[in-house]
Amino acid sequence: MTTATKETVGIIGLGIMGSAYAKNLLDSGHAVVGTDMAEEAMAALAGQGGQRVATAREVAAAADILLLALPSVKALETVTKEIAEVVRPGAVVCEMGTLPIDAKEACRTALEAKGAHVLDCPVSGTGAQAAKRDLSIYASGDEAAFRKVEAAFAGFARDVRYCGGFGTGMKLKYIANLLVTIHNLSTAEALLLAERAGLDLNLVYDAIRPGAGGSRMFDVRAPLMIEERYEPATMKMDIYIKDLQLIMDFAREMRAPTPLMTASLPFYFAALAQGRGKEDTASLFAVLKGMTEAHGKGE
């Protein structure tokens, strides 16, 4: 497929993830039309060669592939109502967020009544990974509709896979985020132990990363922890807290014990209590470090 024949992709929501999708799609030769509530995000899209429009309705009217990169159920409900009026028959709408399956089902019902196809396509990866096209997409729903958007997905993701019936993608995302939650905290715990032991943390990172103790979260979050660099966030703590609740609700529904996940929750909520909601989830390192400093003062 040549640059001239690649389909236009519409993106509704140009936050950390949506803006990365847009840039990489433009770099791969797709035309992109998008919208967001933030002027800064709209200006960035235009500066990269994309087409900015004022409303979700205008995005839906302009593209046969739509990516919904939205932060909440309320945002999804609002956008669904708006684009239902103009979505093109045969268009494929890809709901990319980490949201309840029933909310995605409601979007699917509303838009498929207008002749569009809706896929559940959650994304695994941080904002930093998104910027480098290092994402996994768990696509579920109608397979023929997936094949229509597969090439576009390859423009901004490393691993694109069709997972089965609608909702399978979100179930996989719950599992992935359970591991992310635990591995993020374990990375902070390990680095703090190393620091208390007087080790050079860059040495620790280089030594642990290729060994049996390494993980993808260690790869991407340990450098942020070592530098104590939590802004700009690649995943904001206050947004991730929503994901934690979804995982726990799902596990409860499945009657599956989650001892490590459950043990990790107080540290994430402590980060929120400390005003770290807009910081990267790597700031768990600061939370643990603060506990050692508080203990030291009391001795």
Side-chain angles (χ1 to χ4, degrees), residues 130-228:
K132 297 185 293 185
R133 212 168 64 82
D134 182 23
L135 297 172
S136 293
I137 297 178
Y138 306 140
S140 60
D142 181 74
E143 186 171 3
F146 165 71
R147 297 304 169 193
K148 293 180 181 179
V149 300
E150 188 175 12
F153 282 168
F156 65 92
R158 170 181 52 83
D159 178 47
V160 178
R161 62 184 63 234
Y162 175 71
C163 303
F166 192 94
T168 305
M170 267 311 306
K171 292 176 183 179
L172 281 170
K173 183 63 187 292
Y174 294 146
I175 305 306
N177 275 13
L178 180 146
L179 291 167
V180 166
T181 300
I182 296 166
H183 291 172
N184 187 47
L185 179 58
S186 69
T187 295
E189 182 177 313
L191 288 177
L192 182 59
L193 177 60
E195 184 176 85
R196 298 281 285 184
L199 295 174
D200 180 292
L201 294 189
N202 287 304
L203 167 65
V204 172
Y205 179 67
D206 290 340
I208 297 297
R209 187 182 184 192
S215 70
R216 289 306 300 277
M217 281 301 98
F218 187 87
D219 285 351
V220 301
R221 291 267 162 70
L224 301 180
M225 295 178 184
I226 291 168
E227 296 175 21
E228 299 189 52

Side-chain angles (χ1 to χ4, degrees), residues 3-276:
T3 298
T5 60
K6 287 187 177 179
E7 291 185 89
T8 296
V9 179
I11 303 179
I12 301 173
L14 297 168
I16 292 173
M17 301 301 282
S19 61
Y21 306 159
K23 183 179 186 303
N24 286 319
L25 282 165
L26 288 164
D27 288 346
S28 68
H30 288 272
V32 174
V33 56
T35 193
D36 193 271
M37 294 178 66
E39 171 58 30
E40 183 179 351
M42 297 273 272
L45 175 66
Q48 292 161 358
Q51 179 187 355
R52 57 177 287 172
V53 295
T55 65
R57 180 189 178 97
E58 291 173 82
V59 176
D64 288 317
I65 297 174
L66 300 177
L67 310 182
L68 308 186
L70 302 167
S72 67
V73 171
K74 183 177 180 180
L76 177 58
E77 290 172 346
T78 299
V79 165
T80 299
K81 289 177 183 176
E82 186 174 347
I83 67 177
E85 301 173 6
V86 296
V87 68
R88 297 178 178 184
V92 182
V93 181
C94 307
E95 210 307 306
M96 314 293 289
T98 302
L99 298 171
I101 296 173
D102 59 358
K104 296 195 178 201
E105 285 280 12
C107 171
R108 179 189 185 194
T109 298
L111 298 184
E112 291 193 347
K114 302 296 184 178
H117 302 285
V118 178
L119 298 175
D120 165 39
C121 303
V123 176
S124 182
T126 67
Q129 288 175 279
K132 297 185 293 185
R133 212 168 64 82
D134 182 23
L135 297 172
S136 293
I137 297 178
Y138 306 140
S140 60
D142 181 74
E143 186 171 3
F146 165 71
R147 297 304 169 193
K148 293 180 181 179
V149 300
E150 188 175 12
F153 282 168
F156 65 92
R158 170 181 52 83
D159 178 47
V160 178
R161 62 184 63 234
Y162 175 71
C163 303
F166 192 94
T168 305
M170 267 311 306
K171 292 176 183 179
L172 281 170
K173 183 63 187 292
Y174 294 146
I175 305 306
N177 275 13
L178 180 146
L179 291 167
V180 166
T181 300
I182 296 166
H183 291 172
N184 187 47
L185 179 58
S186 69
T187 295
E189 182 177 313
L191 288 177
L192 182 59
L193 177 60
E195 184 176 85
R196 298 281 285 184
L199 295 174
D200 180 292
L201 294 189
N202 287 304
L203 167 65
V204 172
Y205 179 67
D206 290 340
I208 297 297
R209 187 182 184 192
S215 70
R216 289 306 300 277
M217 281 301 98
F218 187 87
D219 285 351
V220 301
R221 291 267 162 70
L224 301 180
M225 295 178 184
I226 291 168
E227 296 175 21
E228 299 189 52
R229 175 169 51 87
Y230 309 127
E231 293 184 277
T234 64
M235 170 53 73
K236 294 177 182 177
M237 186 69 74
D238 58 2
I239 292 177
Y240 194 68
I241 292 294
K242 162 187 66 80
D243 295 1
L244 301 184
Q245 187 61 57
L246 289 174
I247 297 166
M248 296 307 292
D249 288 347
F250 179 64
R252 191 176 301 111
E253 183 183 349
M254 296 298 105
R255 294 181 155 185
T258 55
L260 296 180
M261 175 77 188
T262 300
S264 74
L265 296 178
F267 301 96
Y268 286 88
F269 285 105
L272 275 191
Q274 292 175 15
R276 300 182 181 278

